[in-house]
Amino acid sequence: MRRILNFNSFNLLRVIFVIAVFILLFISSISYKHNRDTHESSKLLMHAYEVNIQLERLISNVKDAETGQRGFIITKNERYLAPYNFSRDKVNRTFIELQKLNTDNATQERNLKNLFVLINKRYDCFEETLKYNSVENFDKRRLENSLFKGRILMENIRFQVDSMKDIEKKFLEQSQKNYDNEISLTPLFSISVFLVALVLIILSYRQINRDIERLKVSNKKLLISTRLMDDAEKIGNFGTWQWDLKSDRVHYSDNQFRLLGFKPCAFVPEKTTFIQFVHQDDKQAVQASMIEIVKKKKLPLLYYKVVRQDGAIRHFKSIGRLLVENEEGQILLGISFDITDEHDQNIELYQRNKELEASNQELASFNHVASHDLQEPLRKIQTFISRFSEEDKAALSARANEYLSKIDSSSKRMRVLIDDLLLFSRTNTTKKEFIKTNLNLVLKNAKAELAEVIDEKKATISSEKLPKLKVIPYQIEQLFINMIGNSLKYNKAEIDPVISISYTKTNSSDYPNFLNHSIKKYHKITFTDNGMGFDPQFKHSIFVLFKRLHTKNDYPGTGIGLAICKKIVDNHNGHITADSKLGEGASFTVFLPE
């Protein structure tokens, strides 16, 4: 009794499932087997019956023709020939039916052909008998021979028909014997089915147990996932909600209550409840969006303010999507983010942007001052110095002439410095409009700009064919001018400069240390010279603003040229590298994205 009481409903369902499946499988297999065998036996029986009927009909039609012919011979009345005249068509139709019934039986087909030959001969004999019985061609001897021949043919026809009936009978008996043998195997078959069903049910039962174990694990994972989701809502400062559009019922997550300043499940959420927390300034917009949700079944991105229970004003952002469970059930899933901190940061960022705009305006004003007001005194200094004649210089002392020369040199360096600073500034402040440009034409313009220096130093510049790229044309031209100009400036004494420009296409994966892997292909342009080179330890620092490896007395310059090159390459999302050894020339490589 205790075992029965402890036999819970779940175990009972398992037992019922096993018994029901077994009974169903067994009954279905037995019923199917018997129905199939009965159907096959019925088909064979009906086939034999049809063949016998058609054979009897065939004999009957021939006998009708024979009877009609005899009646005509005895009475000379042509009405007796009616069965004879119609019998031929009946015989042909019967032959067609027999052919259909015996298409899958080669023996019967052969017998049928022989029978058809005999019947044709019998009808030929009919024609011969009628011929010699007529008044015009009456011949008693031939008539008797024809009648005798007809009797022999009729006996052969009966014999052929009986042979075909015997074959059908034997075939039917063999089929019945096979059927009886199959029926005798039914118990063995039933046991086999029972064993197979038992194995299947045992496997099913085992699989059910495994599924239950997996379900327990999944439920445990789901519980952990729910807890993680709750923690994620707390960390991410957002809450989720569900709105059943059919029943108009609303469900809040625990953190959705917290965002409104309540403990979880502190009240029953409703559609109208949430409106009470919306700030007066945004209440009308939120109500309009809720009406839009019902119409269009979706929630667009919505920004609004809410007033928490403690009176604090918070900024919210909500978004949702429709989940269609079936034709009747529709649930709107939504997420509400507390973006107050983000809103405050945006306000602070807006203020900083305004300050940055003011700073940019000041920088633009400085550029104007540097390009006009600062250069004006320098031009005047250089103008007044140039007005000193040789006589005026001779009247001055040697020290005064030295000071005058230093003033002239310093003013020239100051002007070059201002020009370089303006150029560096323009790489940041000017509009960056990318245009598809033929770099070969850009290189040609750069060499034309440096033509005087190239001729003076007897430099040789060779270049491979460069591609067409989307670039900022004037910046790339300045890049080429600075690269070639740098090689011309630092050439070896007594050696004509040789500058080669090579081009190839490369993959970012070939240079994983400094190229952006999100861009697959880069255009690699390398400038190589035979100049004096530099110490490899400075291959990174030479691109720093105002960084110089030589004194201003050794080589003129401001230390801004290579910094401008790096800035231009950065503006194109590319990369520039340098490599060299003292006394062995230098190599600068520019990578531009495809």
Side-chain angles (χ1 to χ4, degrees):
M1 184 67 180
R2 184 172 298 175
R3 285 188 177 180
I4 296 177
L5 291 176
N6 291 335
F7 196 76
N8 55 39
S9 59
F10 183 77
N11 290 330
L12 180 61
L13 287 175
R14 286 181 174 177
V15 172
I16 293 174
F17 170 77
V18 171
I19 295 174
V21 171
F22 166 70
I23 293 174
L24 181 63
L25 287 174
F26 184 78
I27 293 177
S28 298
S29 61
I30 297 299
S31 299
Y32 173 76
K33 182 70 169 56
H34 280 292
N35 288 337
R36 188 186 63 184
D37 293 342
T38 302
H39 179 68
E40 292 296 328
S41 297
S42 298
K43 283 175 63 178
L44 293 173
L45 182 62
M46 289 302 297
H47 179 271
Y49 175 75
E50 285 290 334
V51 170
N52 289 333
I53 289 294
Q54 294 298 334
L55 289 173
E56 289 293 339
R57 188 173 294 169
L58 185 65
I59 289 292
S60 176
N61 291 331
V62 176
K63 286 181 177 180
D64 288 344
E66 187 177 41
T67 303
Q69 186 192 51
R70 287 177 181 175
F72 173 74
I73 292 174
I74 295 170
T75 64
K76 304 298 182 179
N77 189 343
E78 291 187 356
R79 287 183 301 177
Y80 285 97
L81 291 177
Y84 168 76
N85 293 331
F86 292 113
S87 65
R88 188 69 178 185
D89 291 337
K90 293 180 180 179
V91 167
N92 290 336
R93 286 197 295 271
T94 305
F95 261 106
I96 292 172
E97 292 298 325
L98 285 169
Q99 285 178 337
K100 291 179 181 179
L101 290 171
N102 293 283
T103 53
D104 56 347
N105 192 328
T107 303
Q108 290 291 62
E109 283 186 344
R110 288 194 300 271
N111 291 333
L112 193 60
K113 288 180 180 179
N114 295 334
L115 180 61
F116 188 70
V117 171
L118 291 173
I119 291 177
N120 284 336
K121 289 181 179 180
R122 183 69 184 98
Y123 271 90
D124 292 340
C125 189
F126 284 151
E127 293 291 335
E128 185 179 344
T129 302
L130 291 174
K131 176 181 177 181
Y132 294 123
N133 187 56
S134 64
V135 177
E136 297 83 0
N137 301 312
F138 182 79
D139 187 333
K140 181 179 179 181
R141 185 178 62 80
R142 290 185 176 182
L143 178 61
E144 290 176 354
N145 290 336
S146 179
L147 290 173
F148 179 76
K149 181 182 178 182
R151 185 172 61 82
I152 297 299
L153 286 171
M154 197 64 191
E155 290 178 357
N156 291 335
I157 290 171
R158 287 194 185 92
F159 177 77
Q160 187 69 25
V161 168
D162 291 340
S163 298
M164 293 180 69
K165 287 182 179 179
D166 290 341
I167 291 173
E168 288 295 327
K169 183 178 179 181
K170 290 179 180 179
F171 184 70
L172 185 62
E173 289 176 353
Q174 183 63 37
S175 300
Q176 184 65 34
K177 184 177 180 180
N178 293 338
Y179 174 74
D180 294 339
N181 292 334
E182 290 178 358
I183 291 298
S184 64
L185 294 175
T186 299
L188 179 61
F189 175 76
S190 301
I191 293 174
S192 300
V193 170
F194 171 77
L195 293 176
V196 171
L198 183 61
V199 171
L200 291 175
I201 296 305
I202 291 174
L203 293 176
S204 300
Y205 178 79
R206 184 181 178 187
Q207 186 63 38
I208 289 173
N209 282 334
R210 290 180 178 178
D211 290 342
I212 292 173
E213 293 299 323
R214 283 197 292 265
L215 183 61
K216 290 179 180 179
V217 174
S218 298
N219 287 336
K220 186 176 180 180
K221 290 180 178 179
L222 181 61
L223 180 61
I224 295 173
S225 178
T226 303
R227 292 175 180 174
L228 290 175
M229 184 62 184
D230 188 53
D231 292 339
E233 289 187 11
K234 292 178 183 177
I235 297 171
N237 210 20
F238 68 92
T240 59
W241 47 270
Q242 302 173 20
W243 181 8
D244 191 329
L245 298 182
K246 183 181 178 182
S247 63
D248 213 26
R249 296 171 63 182
V250 181
H251 173 74
Y252 286 173
S253 66
D254 291 347
N255 209 52
Q256 182 69 18
F257 286 99
R258 298 188 189 100
L259 294 180
L260 298 175
F262 291 89
K263 292 182 178 180
C265 303
F267 59 89
V268 178
E270 296 179 359
K271 181 176 65 175
T272 55
T273 305
F274 184 74
I275 296 295
Q276 300 174 4
F277 297 100
V278 178
H279 194 276
Q280 191 65 33
D281 297 344
D282 301 321
K283 190 166 292 189
Q284 185 176 357
V286 173
Q287 288 175 333
S289 67
M290 294 180 72
I291 296 173
E292 195 74 9
I293 291 171
V294 178
K295 290 181 179 179
K296 296 186 177 181
K297 304 296 189 294
K298 67 177 181 179
L299 175 64
L301 190 61
L302 182 65
Y303 293 90
Y304 54 94
K305 299 186 293 292
V306 298
V307 182
R308 289 170 37 125
Q309 184 188 24
D310 55 5
I313 298 176
R314 309 292 292 180
H315 294 266
F316 273 35
K317 175 179 73 174
S318 294
I319 191 171
R321 61 174 295 185
L322 185 67
L323 176 64
V324 180
E325 293 183 333
N326 47 51
E327 294 182 355
E328 299 181 355
Q330 293 182 335
I331 297 177
L332 186 70
L333 303 178
I335 303 177
S336 295
F337 297 88
D338 187 338
I339 58 170
T340 306
D341 296 338
E342 181 181 342
H343 179 268
D344 295 340
Q345 290 174 1
N346 287 338
I347 293 176
E348 183 180 353
L349 183 60
Y350 175 75
Q351 295 295 333
R352 290 185 179 179
N353 285 339
K354 290 185 68 176
E355 293 174 1
L356 182 59
E357 288 178 3
S359 177
N360 286 338
Q361 290 178 357
E362 292 177 359
L363 182 59
S365 299
F366 168 77
N367 288 339
H368 179 76
V369 171
S371 61
H372 294 86
D373 299 347
L374 290 180
Q375 292 197 32
E376 180 61 25
L378 287 175
R379 282 194 293 269
K380 287 184 178 180
I381 291 171
Q382 290 175 333
T383 300
F384 289 136
I385 291 174
S386 66
R387 290 182 180 179
F388 272 84
S389 64
E390 293 298 328
E391 294 178 358
D392 293 333
K393 292 180 180 179
L396 296 175
S397 64
R399 178 171 294 182
N401 277 308
E402 182 182 354
Y403 290 154
L404 188 62
S405 176
K406 289 183 177 181
I407 291 171
D408 185 30
S409 176
S410 296
S411 63
K412 289 180 180 178
R413 285 202 310 275
M414 184 64 179
R415 185 159 189 169
V416 172
L417 179 60
I418 291 173
D419 289 339
D420 286 349
L421 285 173
L422 286 173
L423 184 60
F424 183 79
S425 176
R426 289 193 189 101
T427 60
N428 291 325
T429 58
T430 54
K431 184 179 180 181
K432 300 174 182 178
E433 185 176 359
F434 287 80
I435 302 172
K436 192 163 187 179
T437 307
N438 188 338
L439 298 191
N440 297 289
L441 297 178
V442 175
L443 177 61
K444 183 178 179 181
N445 294 337
K447 289 194 289 186
E449 184 74 20
L450 298 169
E452 185 177 348
V453 182
I454 293 172
D455 293 339
E456 179 186 343
K457 296 204 172 187
K458 299 179 181 180
T460 302
I461 301 176
S462 61
S463 172
E464 295 180 357
K465 186 176 180 180
L466 301 179
K468 291 182 179 180
L469 296 179
K470 276 193 172 183
V471 295
I472 307 170
Y474 77 91
Q475 288 194 6
I476 295 298
E477 182 176 333
Q478 187 63 51
L479 172 68
F480 286 176
I481 290 172
N482 285 11
M483 287 284 96
I484 297 172
N486 193 71
S487 296
L488 294 173
K489 182 190 297 185
Y490 297 105
N491 68 304
K492 293 179 181 178
E494 306 298 331
I495 297 178
D496 295 339
V498 176
I499 303 170
S500 62
I501 304 171
S502 61
Y503 163 75
T504 186
K505 211 170 184 180
T506 186
N507 298 320
S508 58
S509 57
D510 296 335
Y511 301 91
N513 294 331
F514 52 81
L515 290 186
N516 185 357
H517 284 195
S518 62
I519 302 173
K520 300 298 182 184
K521 297 286 186 179
Y522 278 85
H523 297 275
K524 177 183 175 184
I525 303 173
T526 304
F527 298 80
T528 306
D529 61 51
N530 62 341
M532 60 183 299
F534 58 85
D535 193 326
Q537 65 177 318
F538 300 114
K539 66 180 182 180
H540 297 298
S541 60
I542 58 175
F543 295 108
V544 179
L545 195 64
F546 300 120
K547 181 67 177 180
R548 292 175 53 86
L549 303 184
H550 307 88
T551 64
K552 61 185 178 180
N553 295 325
D554 295 334
Y555 292 92
T558 60
I560 301 177
L562 289 179
I564 292 174
C565 292
K566 185 177 187 308
K567 194 64 183 177
I568 291 173
V569 175
D570 289 344
N571 288 343
H572 288 77
N573 295 321
H575 190 79
I576 184 170
T577 63
D579 193 19
S580 178
K581 290 183 180 180
L582 281 173
E584 297 183 10
S587 176
F588 291 86
T589 302
V590 175
F591 295 90
L592 297 177
E594 187 174 31

